[in-house]
Amino acid sequence: MQKLLKRTSQVQKQAARRKSVANSKNASDTRKLLRFQEKVHNRERRNLYVSARQARKEDWALGPLAPRRDVGDKAETYGTVSIRLIDKIDKMNGEWKRYGIREGDRVCVVGEGERDRWKIGVVRDVKEKAETCKVQGINLVNVATPEYMKTAGRNDAVQTTEAAINLSSVRLVIPLPDPATGITRDVIVNDLTLNPTGQRYISNYMSPETGKPHYIPWPPKEKPEFKDNDDDTLRIEVEQVSWVPTLLRAPMPSGVIDELRNKYSKFRTRHEDSYVEMKERKDEESRSRKEELQWGGGTPREMLTPVQELNRQRRMERRGLEEEKLTEEVLAGIGELMVKRGKRLPRKLPKEEGDVTALEAPPETRVDAQAP
């Protein structure tokens, strides 16, 4: 049984190691993909900047003789940006920050360099891993519609949509009462903090009513609307109790568990009582066989000669006898014999109850005494 438990433990550890290796490989592949996407994104953006600067120089140098660029393939899409540039690439796991902004919040664009700075709008989409958001009606750009996105009903070459804005460039806007006048007005929150429980509050503002930090509720999520059809199951049928638990019988036949979980799986930790008893019986037989080999001279019992069998029996008897303790008389006799033969006793002996030291011993049994 111990071998079975050891095998199960080893298999579980091996599976955990394989899973760890697979997770690390997936993380490495994700990092490679993100680096590749970032490289492509930066190259396309750089090419757009280079072409725009070159066109500006040509327009400045040639003046009225500057070529027209809104002809040919770019007759309808001139001045638009690629659809891949309106979003930003996700960051690595652990590198992105939570800003406490969700879809439905009212925010104000405060970042320097933003063309729609100080405008207020409602957040339409948030990508936390990329640290960006899209605000409804703000930072609109014209996007060239790719061929695969064109449909039969809508064949527009140019579409207007919101481009992503960094979450660090927006601030939450909430209505708060003015402590001086009591009039409620919109306030830009600069110090928005998230606690470990996921609640957000203003760190440098105390509620005048409670004297505690003012917690800001999350915007409510829209509940999906489900349409009932004629072939749907009625709710009363689903909620009807059709099974009552009992202790008189098992909730399922005993063979069902073997169908759900492989009966001979290496990961199995629960076994039937008969199987456990069989394994324990085999372990006991193996243990007794090892003892026979150990005390039988390394030869199985079936192969012993009569003399080996007798020696084995005597060894087993001697093994079962308790070790006899030496009495004080026997120890005194051993000491006298050692002195007569010129043997020196140790200077320091472990002293027990009733023992005497070398100086307390009789003169004829001392260490310095000479043999006659």
Side-chain angles (χ1 to χ4, degrees):
M1 192 64 188
Q2 296 299 326
K3 290 184 179 179
L4 183 64
L5 298 177
K6 183 179 180 180
R7 185 189 67 175
T8 304
S9 177
Q10 291 178 349
V11 169
Q12 291 176 352
K13 292 180 181 179
Q14 292 172 1
R17 285 196 295 268
R18 287 195 298 269
K19 185 178 180 181
S20 177
V21 172
N23 291 340
S24 60
K25 186 179 183 302
N26 293 337
S28 177
D29 295 342
T30 303
R31 287 193 296 268
K32 291 180 181 179
L33 178 61
L34 292 178
R35 283 196 294 266
F36 175 75
Q37 292 177 352
E38 185 178 5
K39 184 178 179 180
V40 174
H41 186 273
N42 293 337
R43 182 171 62 246
E44 190 169 357
R45 185 181 293 273
R46 183 171 58 252
N47 293 339
L48 180 63
Y49 291 160
V50 170
S51 61
R53 285 195 294 267
Q54 184 178 0
R56 183 185 60 187
K57 290 181 181 180
E58 291 180 356
D59 294 343
W60 175 264
L62 298 179
L65 300 178
R68 293 185 57 184
R69 297 181 178 84
D70 55 345
V71 294
D73 296 339
K74 296 184 178 180
E76 297 181 352
T77 60
Y78 180 74
T80 61
V81 297
S82 175
I83 194 173
R84 292 187 295 270
L85 297 179
I86 61 176
D87 292 324
K88 294 189 176 181
I89 306 302
D90 295 348
K91 294 186 176 181
M92 304 291 182
N93 291 334
E95 297 182 1
W96 49 277
K97 177 183 176 183
R98 295 184 62 189
Y99 285 87
I101 295 177
R102 187 182 291 176
E103 294 85 349
D105 285 331
R106 296 177 66 240
V107 295
C108 177
V109 182
V110 298
E112 296 183 2
E114 300 290 346
R115 60 176 182 175
D116 292 336
R117 193 179 184 187
W118 306 120
K119 287 187 178 181
I120 299 177
V122 180
V123 177
R124 184 173 62 86
D125 184 24
V126 176
K127 295 180 65 175
E128 290 188 351
K129 292 187 177 181
E131 295 184 0
T132 59
C133 68
K134 292 182 180 180
V135 185
Q136 186 175 359
I138 295 180
N139 199 22
L140 297 175
V141 294
N142 293 328
V143 179
T145 307
E147 294 296 333
Y148 65 88
M149 293 184 61
K150 293 181 180 180
T151 59
R154 185 172 183 179
N155 196 18
D156 299 336
V158 179
Q159 296 183 11
T160 303
T161 183
E162 297 91 355
I165 306 175
N166 290 332
L167 288 175
S168 58
S169 300
V170 299
R171 295 292 184 272
L172 189 66
V173 177
I174 60 173
L176 283 179
D178 191 353
T181 61
I183 301 175
T184 303
R185 56 193 179 93
D186 289 339
V187 177
I188 299 176
V189 180
N190 289 322
D191 299 323
L192 184 64
T193 307
L194 290 176
N195 60 8
T197 60
Q199 295 177 332
R200 53 183 184 175
Y201 62 95
I202 307 175
S203 59
N204 59 352
Y205 177 81
M206 296 295 176
S207 176
E209 300 177 355
T210 61
K212 297 181 180 179
H214 181 75
Y215 285 89
I216 304 174
W218 294 98
K221 293 184 179 180
E222 297 182 0
K223 295 183 179 180
E225 296 182 0
F226 299 100
K227 184 178 179 181
D228 295 336
N229 300 319
D230 298 337
D231 55 348
D232 290 344
T233 305
L234 298 179
R235 183 169 183 175
I236 189 173
E237 298 179 0
V238 177
E239 295 182 350
Q240 183 180 1
V241 179
S242 59
W243 180 76
V244 179
T246 177
L247 298 178
L248 301 179
R249 62 180 182 276
M252 64 180 69
S254 58
V256 175
I257 191 66
D258 294 333
E259 297 178 4
L260 300 176
R261 179 188 57 198
N262 186 7
K263 185 177 182 179
Y264 304 100
S265 174
K266 295 180 180 180
F267 297 94
R268 183 166 182 171
T269 55
R270 293 177 295 177
H271 304 276
E272 300 176 356
D273 297 338
S274 58
Y275 183 77
V276 174
E277 292 178 1
M278 184 265 292
K279 284 292 183 181
E280 291 179 350
R281 185 172 62 255
K282 287 187 176 181
D283 292 345
E284 185 65 26
E285 293 176 358
S286 177
R287 191 182 303 108
S288 60
R289 187 176 182 81
K290 288 182 179 179
E291 292 181 356
E292 290 180 0
L293 291 175
Q294 180 180 359
W295 297 101
T299 307
R301 184 172 183 179
E302 294 80 3
M303 300 175 61
L304 294 179
T305 62
V307 177
Q308 291 176 341
E309 181 70 22
L310 179 60
N311 293 335
R312 176 187 172 280
Q313 185 177 0
R314 289 180 177 178
R315 280 194 295 269
M316 296 295 289
E317 292 176 356
R318 287 197 299 270
R319 183 189 177 193
L321 296 178
E322 296 182 0
E323 183 181 358
E324 297 182 357
K325 296 183 179 180
L326 299 177
T327 60
E328 296 182 359
E329 298 178 355
V330 175
L331 292 175
I334 293 174
E336 293 178 0
L337 183 61
M338 291 176 63
V339 172
K340 289 180 180 180
R341 294 183 177 181
K343 302 291 184 179
R344 289 183 173 273
L345 297 176
R347 294 184 178 276
K348 293 183 179 180
L349 295 175
K351 187 175 181 180
E352 298 181 359
E353 185 179 357
D355 293 349
V356 296
T357 61
L359 297 177
E360 298 174 351
E364 60 273 8
T365 60
R366 290 183 182 177
V367 176
D368 300 334
Q370 300 294 331

